[in-house]
Amino acid sequence: MQSVQRITILGSTGSIGKSTLDVLARHPQQFAVYALTASTQVDLMVAQCAQFKPEVAVMVHEDAARLLAEKLRAEGLKTVVRCGAAALDEVAAAPQVDAVMAAIVGAAGLSPCLSAARAGKKLLLANKEALVMGGELFLSAVREGGAVMLPIDSEHSAIFQSLPEDPTTWQRRVHKIILTASGGPFRGRDPISLKDVTPDQACAHPNWVMGRKISVDSATMMNKALEVIEARYLFSLAPEQLEVVIHPQSVIHSMVQYKDNSVVAQLGTPDMRVPIAYGLSWPERIVSGAGALDFHSLAAMTFESLDDHGHPMRFPGLKLAWDTLNGTPGSCAVLNAANEIAVDAFLKHQIRFDQIHHVNEATLNAVVSSRPENLEALLGLDRRTREAARTVVARLG
């Protein structure tokens, strides 16, 4: 292994950030934390700073940064506290940093991801929205900066591990990519019954421990729609080469079908520390802390079509992935922004669970998109979309 890698974690108090720190704590001789960032969770950030002693801690909100600085001084800790979006960009691109874990959920993570890419960092991408929103703009920043981008989503990490090492052979050898989906907590329910779903029910994922926004996306299968879009950009395949199959046990994380119809799959326990450890140590492998699969006691592995149970429309949001990939440039960014507004409205009890898809579809129809040529244009499209989505939400309320 190389000398100690210095890591910035964007979103250290979220589920991915905490899992990343768990892996880092197991390998103190290989990794050191340069910066931690969060939005509002001051007490958890104090605990993380006490354990990992980063040089810098960034809080998005000024009040939280002020309180964190006071608490760190009281603890005798020397971590420098900064606040705001510009500080996120700076710790992502800092010359002292070797790798950046991009774990900020949603569009807020796009700018620091771009900063890390332009600075040529090893970018561990757990923020799927950076690619869904940024698309070619984001990939251009990766190429121009000479960054190494490694997927951290369990499905995309599984695909990456199942592909040939030489990316120049992917087009020639790969027939299609098959992303697996657990189906979420409402896999077997009649869609008509979903109008009464509560936020707590939607966030109770059967296999994975995730934040509330991602848990709702899993319940609607919008997370899989976003993952389809991300896979198209990560692996440079056509939309028709991307497929989704329901695999309730979440043991096979994704598969690659080759031109000879052989299939290579990556298996593991549903624990995000596995893809995190792989990304941190790539191309080597290190202990992750996750449990091993016990094939002697493993339950039967099953697969279902998206149209099973006689409900072809039980996951209507998933189709929007292919609609936007084949639609006008910028459509993927519109879908991402609309969905963030819709999920937030559902979590705040402003709309029903079954109305999330309506908000997304209506917003896609309302917003005229075009190819964003730069970050400012992309953020402008994002703002217009959020305004349009809030208008739809208000009509439903």
Side-chain angles (χ1 to χ4, degrees):
M1 295 290 291
Q2 297 178 342
S3 58
V4 174
Q5 288 189 60
R6 307 194 76 194
I7 313 294
T8 284
I9 302 178
L10 302 170
S12 67
T13 59
S15 60
I16 296 294
K18 289 187 284 189
S19 293
T20 301
L21 289 172
D22 182 89
V23 174
L24 295 181
R26 298 169 190 276
H27 304 278
Q29 304 305 314
Q30 294 175 228
F31 304 101
V33 176
Y34 171 75
L36 300 175
T37 84
S39 179
T40 58
Q41 295 192 56
V42 172
D43 288 341
L44 180 52
M45 180 63 91
V46 171
Q48 292 179 346
C49 289
Q51 181 178 358
F52 293 94
K53 297 178 174 54
E55 291 187 29
V56 184
V58 178
M59 303 301 289
V60 174
H61 299 288
E62 187 174 352
D63 290 346
R66 188 180 302 111
L67 181 57
L68 176 63
E70 292 173 1
K71 293 196 172 196
L72 292 182
R73 279 196 300 270
E75 295 287 334
L77 297 171
K78 297 180 180 179
T79 298
V80 175
V81 178
R82 304 199 52 206
C83 73
L88 293 177
D89 291 344
E90 288 175 18
V91 296
Q96 302 95 320
V97 172
D98 300 300
V100 175
M101 172 60 73
I104 296 175
V105 176
L110 175 60
S111 182
C113 281
L114 281 168
S115 295
R118 291 172 181 144
K121 305 302 182 185
K122 182 166 84 166
L123 180 56
L124 309 177
L125 194 65
N127 174 304
K128 65 174 63 69
E129 291 86 358
L131 269 176
V132 173
M133 277 187 69
E136 291 298 335
L137 183 68
F138 186 75
L139 292 180
S140 294
V142 171
R143 288 192 296 268
E144 291 166 10
V148 175
M149 181 170 60
L150 299 171
I152 299 300
D153 270 351
S154 62
E155 295 83 359
H156 300 95
S157 177
I159 292 164
F160 184 68
Q161 294 179 58
S162 301
L163 283 167
E165 289 188 8
D166 182 359
T168 63
T169 69
W170 292 354
Q171 291 280 357
R172 185 174 76 248
R173 299 168 68 181
V174 173
H175 175 56
K176 65 180 177 181
I177 283 171
I178 305 166
L179 293 100
T180 59
S182 70
F186 311 129
R187 177 174 58 89
R189 284 182 54 168
D190 188 323
I192 295 174
S193 72
L194 298 182
K195 69 180 191 308
D196 299 320
V197 163
T198 68
D200 285 345
Q201 289 171 329
C203 291
H205 194 281
N207 299 333
W208 295 91
V209 177
M210 303 180 291
R212 287 174 72 80
K213 193 270 181 183
I214 300 175
S215 295
V216 174
D217 282 346
S218 179
T220 63
M221 287 280 275
M222 270 304 302
N223 75 315
K224 208 55 54 177
L226 298 176
E227 287 170 10
V228 167
I229 296 169
E230 184 182 7
R232 180 262 176 271
Y233 288 112
L234 277 171
F235 307 116
S236 302
L237 297 176
E240 59 269 21
Q241 291 178 282
L242 305 169
E243 183 180 321
V244 175
V245 64
I246 292 179
H247 170 49
Q249 295 80 23
S250 297
V251 172
I252 297 177
H253 298 307
S254 278
M255 299 171 274
V256 175
Q257 183 175 337
Y258 285 84
K259 293 287 179 69
D260 61 0
N261 283 332
S262 64
V263 176
V264 176
Q266 188 266 343
L267 287 69
T269 54
D271 190 321
M272 284 305 299
R273 290 177 296 179
V274 174
I276 288 168
Y278 182 69
L280 285 168
S281 63
W282 179 86
E284 305 294 332
R285 289 186 185 262
I286 57 174
V287 171
S288 67
L293 281 178
D294 182 355
F295 287 95
H296 299 289
S297 61
L298 195 64
M301 290 190 289
T302 60
F303 303 89
E304 302 171 7
S305 164
L306 294 172
D307 295 344
D308 271 3
H309 302 291
H311 301 307
M313 292 302 292
R314 60 185 171 142
F315 300 122
L318 184 57
K319 180 178 177 293
L320 296 178
W322 288 272
D323 289 348
T324 53
L325 284 173
N326 291 313
T328 57
S331 295
C332 296
V334 172
L335 176 60
N336 178 72
N339 185 62
E340 286 191 22
I341 295 299
V343 171
D344 182 65
F346 166 67
L347 289 172
K348 292 177 178 175
H349 302 275
Q350 295 171 350
I351 62 172
R352 300 192 312 265
F353 178 82
D354 63 330
Q355 292 176 321
I356 294 173
H357 174 65
H358 175 80
V359 173
N360 292 338
E361 193 169 46
T363 305
L364 277 168
N365 291 331
V367 176
V368 177
S369 63
S370 58
R371 186 183 305 279
E373 298 298 330
N374 51 48
L375 179 59
E376 290 71 27
L378 184 59
L379 293 178
L381 175 61
D382 183 78
R383 284 192 295 272
R384 293 197 306 277
T385 299
R386 289 170 190 273
E387 292 170 5
R390 290 188 186 100
T391 300
V392 178
V393 167
R395 287 203 303 265
L396 294 173

